[in-house]
Amino acid sequence: MRTAPERRKAWLTGQRVSGKLAERLRERIRAGVYAVGRALPSETALTAEFRVARNTVRRALRALDVEGLIVTIPSKGRLVQGADQPVDASYRYQVIARELRRRIERGDLGPGDMLPSEAELRWLYEASRNTVRQAFAELEREGLIVSQQGKGRFVQHRE
């Protein structure tokens, strides 16, 4: 547990606080505290940690966004962007659907083959049941898979 003086040292005070905050976040990104592709802490968490107003945090984050250090993705947050590798802005269900689609197109999963279960995909992708079901629904709309009640989901026979 940190002592009161240590906690106060983390606080930002004075003028141009958003610039100071942006610099601290830049340092953390460079040091790898915030890894490429991972989300930064929420505005609320940054506000509490640095004891600044939410608008101050937003200004600092906007500066990092303009510099290309982070990218803002609705419903995902602000992700650290690498110089040589762009951030994948896909939602998790899209990633799951894309990987299953790729396996079907490559022939790893042929017509009539059973797809991995919801539980297996939840474990593999660290996703919720609804996320996996959303991926399945997308593949069903595309006509790639068919669901059989009580038996599972299977690759659709192509005609």
Side-chain angles (χ1 to χ4, degrees):
M1 184 163 175
R2 294 199 291 183
T3 63
E6 288 174 333
R7 272 188 265 131
R8 273 189 232 105
K9 197 177 356 177
W11 299 352
L12 294 172
T13 59
Q15 296 184 356
R16 305 212 185 268
V17 175
S18 63
K20 293 176 185 177
L21 177 57
E23 187 53 40
R24 289 231 186 132
L25 294 174
R26 257 186 232 99
E27 289 170 7
R28 289 181 180 184
I29 290 170
R30 284 188 206 111
V33 175
Y34 303 136
V36 173
R38 296 294 189 165
L40 289 176
S42 68
E43 289 178 1
T44 305
L46 292 172
T47 298
E49 179 181 351
F50 293 104
R51 304 275 183 155
V52 295
R54 187 174 222 146
N55 278 340
T56 303
V57 170
R58 287 181 178 165
R59 271 187 248 121
L61 293 172
R62 191 174 324 115
L64 297 177
D65 201 346
V66 167
E67 294 171 18
L69 288 174
I70 64 171
V71 61
T72 303
I73 301 171
S75 299
K76 291 185 104 177
R78 291 175 174 92
L79 307 180
V80 177
Q81 183 155 317
D84 54 345
Q85 58 188 127
V87 172
D88 182 11
S90 302
Y91 293 102
R92 180 132 329 146
Y93 82 91
Q94 292 172 321
V95 171
I96 297 168
R98 182 173 47 234
E99 304 246 343
L100 290 173
R101 189 181 303 108
R102 197 174 295 142
R103 289 178 63 188
I104 292 169
E105 290 168 353
R106 274 196 326 241
D108 297 343
L109 292 169
D113 285 351
M114 184 179 210
L115 270 67
S117 68
E118 274 183 24
E120 187 177 350
L121 291 173
R122 287 178 58 200
W123 180 80
L124 283 172
Y125 292 96
E126 297 177 350
S128 70
R129 183 178 70 183
N130 287 337
T131 300
V132 172
R133 287 182 177 179
Q134 198 171 3
F136 283 147
E138 184 173 304
L139 295 174
E140 284 181 35
R141 279 191 302 273
E142 294 172 12
L144 291 174
I145 66 171
V146 63
S147 178
Q148 293 180 2
Q149 183 69 30
K151 294 188 179 183
R153 290 178 176 85
F154 300 86
V155 177
Q156 180 83 328
H157 290 281
R158 297 185 187 162
E159 298 170 10

